[in-house]
Amino acid sequence: MKHTTNSQSYDLAGLYTLSLRMVIGWTYFSAFWRRLILENKLIPDEKGYIGEKFNHFLPNALGIKPIIEYLVTHPDALQNSMMIFTIIEAIVGLFIILGLFTRLMSIGIFSLALGILLGSGWLGTTCVDEWQIGVLGVAGGFVLFLTGSGSYSIDNYFIKRNKSFTLSKWFQWLGSGILPIAQPKVFVLTGSLLIFGLTLYTNQYFHGGVWGTLHNKSVKPKLQISNISRRDSDLTFEVYRTEGADVYGSFLIGIHILDKNGNILKEIDHKELSEFSKDNIKNHYVAKVKPGKHSLVIPLGAKADVNIGIDDILQKDAIHTLKLIDISGIEWMEIIR
């Protein structure tokens, strides 16, 4: 009698989470649908390539930055990973919608959501978009693991057709039905507290959302200037875009070389930057610094070595500071040592 009661309880729990299962399932399956069916976003160097979007995660990712950097510096490995990742999202999403091996697929949901959270939880121009998607996906995956699928699922069809599935431990762990945990209250409480702790920690880390000053790294572009080197005929520096909206680049409309008093020794304006030679730009990652229609475009996560000729500067000994100017009016300066 106890077994029957537990079976009914889990069946109802799976039934009550039907809408959650279908919405979460579509959230992940739709990634495959968008990238391959509606349009192909898995072709490198094509507009909308998902690998470039992945590159946007790099500057402020939490814990997985070395993995992202390895992939964006190895284009073939990146493309293969994006294809595998997309296939996994398709399988996990579709199986969750159908209620097939629900608990196994919920672990996939949990893992995919955790990857989104750690990689892109800092992104979101108007609110904490990616962070919310990540933490809700982690929590949703945990809930679906606990409940499994109810009446409207393939798991349930297997259980009804073959009663041995109901008592099979492997199916209970990977599919649906009674979850064979000795102390379910302890398991649920522990898992919930860990996920809540992850939520608070990442909210604070990415956005200062628990205490202190709120911040949003997706609003204004930020460039880092480093590795400045000077020869007789040219000056080379590394530029790295670490903040700002991921949907468009930083539009560089001016590069100035200044003396110590702030006087301009050399100026490159927006027109010259829009015609800037690609031979003088050495990109490190998939997201590329490149000349645009009216400026030099620097996408989020892009890093490149930029070379400028300085033969036309008569007083080379007076060279002191490098200044970059964004179309928004933001300026970044670095002393040339």
Side-chain angles (χ1 to χ4, degrees), residues 17-27 93 96-98 144:
T17 55
L18 177 61
S19 62
L20 180 66
R21 198 185 86 213
M22 298 182 78
V23 170
I24 289 180
W26 175 253
T27 299
I96 282 288
I97 292 172
L98 297 175
L144 292 177

Side-chain angles (χ1 to χ4, degrees), residues 160-228:
K160 298 300 183 185
R161 289 292 298 266
N162 190 338
K163 293 297 182 182
S164 64
F165 274 42
T166 307
L167 300 175
S168 173
K169 285 287 176 60
W170 72 265
F171 190 77
Q172 289 172 341
W173 279 111
L174 303 181
S176 296
I178 299 172
L179 186 60
I181 296 176
Q183 295 180 304
K185 289 184 178 180
V186 174
F187 183 82
V188 172
L189 178 61
T190 302
S192 299
L193 289 177
L194 287 173
I195 291 171
F196 186 56
L198 177 68
T199 298
L200 294 180
Y201 176 72
T202 53
N203 191 207
Q204 176 63 28
Y205 181 86
F206 290 130
H207 304 288
V210 181
W211 69 83
T213 305
L214 282 169
H215 55 266
N216 189 339
K217 295 180 179 179
S218 297
V219 176
K220 296 179 181 179
K222 180 179 179 181
L223 303 182
Q224 290 181 358
I225 306 169
S226 62
N227 297 333
I228 303 177

Side-chain angles (χ1 to χ4, degrees), residues 47-64:
K47 185 178 180 180
Y49 175 47
I50 188 63
E52 186 168 342
K53 173 71 175 177
F54 189 69
N55 196 157
H56 295 163
F57 299 169
L58 177 61
N60 298 291
L62 174 60
I64 60 173

